Amino acid sequence: MGDFNLALVIVAIVVCVIVFIFNVYLLINYQHPDDKNQAYFPKFVVVFGLTVAAISILMLPADVANRQACRHAIYNGACNLTLPMKDLWIAVYIIDAVLVFFIIPFAMFYYEGDQDKSVAKRVKSALLWVITTAIVCALVIGILYGLVGKVDISVRHLSSTTANFPSSFQLSNSQPCIGNGARQCSAFLTNASSEKKWTMRTTFPEYVVALATIVGSVLFVIFGGVGIASLPLGLIFSFIRRPKAVITRSQYIKEATELGKKARELKKSADALHQEERSGSKGRKWRKNVKSVEKELLHLEEDVKLLEEMYPQGEKAETAWALTVLGYLAKLVLGILGLIVSIAWIAHIIIYLLVDPPLSPFLNEVFIKLDDVWGLLGTAAFTFFCFYLLLAVVAGAMMLGLRLVFITIHPMKWGGTLMNSFLFNVGLILLCSISVIQFCSTAFGYYAQATAAQEIFGHTLQSLRGIKYLYKYNVFQIAFVVLAGLTLVLYAAFGWRRKKPTGRFQLSS
C-alpha cells in the first residue's frame, strides 16, 4: 500500500461534498421567486449538472496529483493502487453527454410546456422530443462509429545490435549509447520508410467522448474566444460607464416616468405575443419578436438598476451609494486582473501551441515553480486558469445573445433566474467543460504529462480517423485566437456603447 494516495481520496470526497453544497447555495439564491417550492426535477438536474461540470474541471488537477502517487514506481503501469482516473474520466463524460443531450432537454421541454396542459401531457410532449433526439443521435453516432471509429497511430520499427557490457559507463549527450560506434543509438537510424500506420478500433465510450468534445469545441471556440476578451473588458467599461454622482429628485422622476412608459410598451407587446402563442400562430416572425422582447427587457432592467444606483433611497441612502462606488472599483480591479489572465492565455496558446517547436513552456513552468513553493499552489493556479475559460464561455454566450437576435438570451440574475435559463446555462457549461479539459490538457501538456486525461484527449482523440486533422493543424486554437483578437478590437471600439431600447416591435397579428 505504499503507493496508495489516501490523502488524495479524502480530498476528492471532501471537495465533491463542498461543490455539491455550493451549487445548492447558488440554486437557492439565484432561483426566481416563481420557482420556489416547485420545479423540483429541473432543480435536481441543475445541481447535479453543475456538480458534474465542476468535478470534471477539478479532475484534471486530481489526475496530475494521482500521477505523483506513482513517482516511486519503476513505471506507471506498475502502480495500480491509485485512483482509476481513466475509468473515472469515461464515467464523468458519459454522464455529461447524457445530461446535455437527453436529461436537460427533457427538463427544459417539460418546464417550458404549456402550463394549461396536464402534467401527463407535458411529460408526453417532452418525452417525444427527447426520444426523437435520442434516435437521431444514436443513429448518427452508431453509423460514424461503424465507419470511422478507428485510430490511426504512426509507428516505426526500431532495431539495434548488441554490444559487450562495459566495465564502466560514460554516457553523455555526445555519447548516448554504449559502444564505440557512431556515438548514436542504431535504433534511431532506421529509414523513414519503416514508418507504418497502426490501426485499431477505439472503444465506444471514448468515441462518444470524442464526438461530444468536437461539438463542445465548436461552441467553446465561438463563445470562449469572444468571452475571453469581453469578460475583462466588460468589467472595465462598466467602471468607465459608472454613475459619477447622485442625480436630483426631479431628474429621477423624469427618468422613472420614461422607463415606466417603456415598461408599459413592453407589457403590451408581451401580452400580444402570448395571445399569438395561445392561438397557435408561432412562426419564425413570432420567435424573432419574442427574442427582441427578451433583449429589450434586459436593457430595461439594466436601466432600472442604473437609475436606482444613481438615486439611492431609504434611510441608508449614503451607505448604498458608498457600496455602489466600492462595487464599481471592485469591477475595475477584477477587470484588470482578468485582462492579465486573458493576455496570458492568448500568449500561452501562441507560444506553446501554435509555434512548432514551442518557444517556451511558459505557464507550464509557472505552475511547476509554484508547486515547488507549495505543493498545492501550482495546482490551484492551474485550476483557476481552467475555470476562467468556463467563465469566458458564459460571458461570450451572454454577449452574443445581447448582440445577435438569433441566439436565445438566458441571463443569470441573483434572485431572478428561471429554471429554463438555469438549465440552458448548465447545459452550455457541461458541453463546453469537455472541450475546456481537452484544451487545458493540450495547452498544459508539459505540466499534465503522463496523465489519464492526456491518454484520452491527447493520443486517442488526436489519432481518431477524420477528427485528427482538426487537432493536427490546430484549427480550434487558431480560431480561438482569431476570435479573441477580433473581439478585443471590436469591443474596445464599439462594444462599450450600448444601444438604448426602442420599445417598438413588429407583431405577427
Side-chain angles (χ1 to χ4, degrees):
M1 299 294 285
D3 289 320
F4 185 70
N5 198 342
L6 182 61
L8 181 60
V9 176
I10 296 174
V11 169
I13 295 173
V14 172
V15 168
C16 289
V17 173
I18 293 174
V19 167
F20 178 79
I21 295 173
F22 179 75
N23 290 328
V24 172
Y25 172 80
L26 284 180
L27 175 68
I28 294 173
N29 287 278
Y30 269 90
Q31 68 176 343
H32 196 280
D34 293 344
D35 287 329
K36 287 186 176 180
N37 301 320
Q38 59 179 342
Y40 291 109
F41 177 69
K43 289 178 181 178
F44 169 78
V45 174
V46 165
V47 173
F48 184 66
L50 286 174
T51 303
V52 171
I55 289 174
S56 65
I57 298 295
L58 294 171
M59 277 180 65
L60 190 52
D63 202 350
V64 175
N66 194 60
R67 178 202 61 195
Q68 294 296 328
C70 286
R71 62 185 180 273
H72 299 303
I74 299 175
Y75 62 97
N76 283 346
C79 178
N80 57 5
L81 297 176
T82 56
L83 295 176
M85 291 305 302
K86 186 174 181 180
D87 295 334
L88 290 175
W89 277 119
I90 296 296
V92 165
Y93 284 117
I94 291 296
I95 294 172
D96 193 313
V98 171
L99 281 170
V100 169
F101 295 108
F102 303 111
I103 296 180
I104 289 179
F106 171 80
M108 290 188 68
F109 287 132
Y110 176 78
Y111 180 83
E112 294 178 349
D114 193 345
Q115 300 295 326
D116 295 334
K117 294 182 179 179
S118 64
V119 174
K121 289 184 178 180
R122 291 167 64 188
V123 170
K124 180 181 177 181
S125 177
L127 280 175
L128 287 175
W129 280 102
V130 172
I131 291 173
T132 304
T133 304
I135 293 173
V136 173
C137 289
L139 288 174
V140 171
I141 294 174
I143 292 172
L144 288 175
Y145 181 71
L147 294 176
V148 293
K150 299 178 181 179
V151 291
D152 297 319
I153 303 173
S154 298
V155 295
R156 180 176 293 182
H157 179 72
L158 303 179
S159 61
S160 63
T161 59
T162 60
N164 294 327
F165 199 81
S167 58
S168 63
F169 293 96
Q170 294 179 350
L171 303 180
S172 63
N173 290 333
S174 60
Q175 183 180 346
C177 303
I178 298 174
N180 299 318
R183 302 302 187 199
Q184 287 184 316
C185 299
S186 58
F188 290 96
L189 299 177
T190 55
N191 297 325
S193 59
S194 65
E195 183 174 305
K196 297 180 180 179
K197 293 290 184 182
W198 180 32
T199 300
M200 59 180 293
R201 182 170 294 278
T202 183
T203 63
F204 185 73
E206 287 184 340
Y207 195 72
V208 172
V209 171
L211 292 184
T213 303
I214 295 299
V215 176
S217 294
V218 174
L219 296 177
F220 166 70
V221 166
I222 296 173
F223 295 138
V226 172
I228 202 166
S230 64
L231 176 59
L233 290 180
L235 293 171
I236 293 173
F237 284 126
S238 178
F239 172 80
I240 295 174
R241 296 193 303 263
R242 74 191 187 282
K244 304 299 191 299
V246 178
I247 62 175
T248 62
R249 180 176 176 80
S250 59
Q251 289 176 312
Y252 172 77
I253 294 174
K254 179 182 177 181
E255 294 292 336
T257 303
E258 184 66 24
L259 291 177
K261 181 181 177 181
K262 292 177 180 178
R264 286 191 294 272
E265 292 177 356
L266 267 176
K267 186 177 185 304
K268 181 179 177 181
S269 301
D271 290 340
L273 290 171
H274 187 60
Q275 186 64 32
E276 288 185 35
E277 182 184 15
R278 288 179 176 275
S279 63
S281 57
K282 296 195 302 182
R284 180 183 300 176
K285 195 173 185 180
W286 179 87
R287 288 191 293 270
K288 181 179 178 181
N289 285 326
V290 167
K291 293 175 182 178
S292 297
V293 170
E294 291 177 348
K295 184 176 179 179
E296 298 290 344
L297 181 59
L298 281 177
H299 287 320
L300 180 62
E301 290 177 349
E302 290 177 4
D303 287 338
V304 171
K305 182 181 178 181
L306 183 61
L307 184 61
E308 291 175 350
E309 290 178 348
M310 296 176 68
Y311 190 75
Q313 304 179 52
E315 297 179 356
K316 299 181 179 180
E318 294 182 358
T319 303
W321 174 250
L323 291 175
T324 298
V325 173
L326 291 175
Y328 280 106
L329 287 173
K331 287 184 178 181
L332 176 63
V333 173
L334 292 175
I336 294 173
L337 292 175
L339 188 60
I340 295 172
V341 175
S342 295
I343 293 174
W345 252 118
I346 299 300
H348 180 76
I349 293 171
I350 295 173
I351 292 172
Y352 186 73
L353 294 180
L354 300 186
V355 178
D356 189 21
L359 296 177
S360 168
F362 194 36
L363 291 177
N364 289 284
E365 283 188 346
V366 173
F367 298 149
I368 292 172
K369 290 180 179 179
L370 289 175
D371 275 336
D372 293 337
V373 175
W374 181 53
L376 293 178
L377 196 57
T379 303
F382 172 68
T383 306
F384 169 76
F385 270 80
C386 294
F387 268 114
Y388 186 81
L389 284 186
L390 270 184
L391 292 177
V393 168
V394 176
M398 283 299 301
M399 180 184 174
L400 292 177
L402 289 172
R403 296 293 184 272
L404 305 175
V405 178
F406 59 81
I407 296 178
T408 303
I409 304 168
H410 289 280
M412 297 286 291
K413 295 180 293 184
W414 188 269
T417 306
L418 294 171
M419 280 301 111
N420 59 340
S421 296
F422 247 130
L423 290 166
F424 175 85
N425 287 288
V426 170
L428 179 64
I429 291 172
L430 280 169
L431 191 56
C432 291
S433 65
I434 304 176
S435 302
V436 168
I437 292 300
Q438 190 276 328
F439 198 85
C440 289
S441 65
T442 304
F444 304 131
Y446 184 62
Y447 180 72
Q449 58 184 333
T451 57
Q454 274 203 338
E455 182 181 350
I456 297 174
F457 300 108
H459 311 302
T460 302
L461 184 62
Q462 296 177 18
S463 301
L464 274 173
R465 188 173 295 179
I467 295 176
K468 60 183 179 181
Y469 299 105
L470 295 173
Y471 297 96
K472 181 179 180 180
Y473 298 108
N474 296 321
V475 174
F476 294 125
Q477 289 90 337
I478 294 173
F480 185 89
V481 172
V482 170
L483 279 174
L486 289 174
T487 304
L488 179 64
V489 174
L490 294 175
Y491 196 89
F494 309 106
W496 59 275
R497 295 182 294 183
R498 180 173 59 84
K499 291 183 179 181
K500 287 291 183 181
T502 60
R504 302 186 185 93
F505 308 96
Q506 296 177 350
L507 299 179
S508 302
S509 58

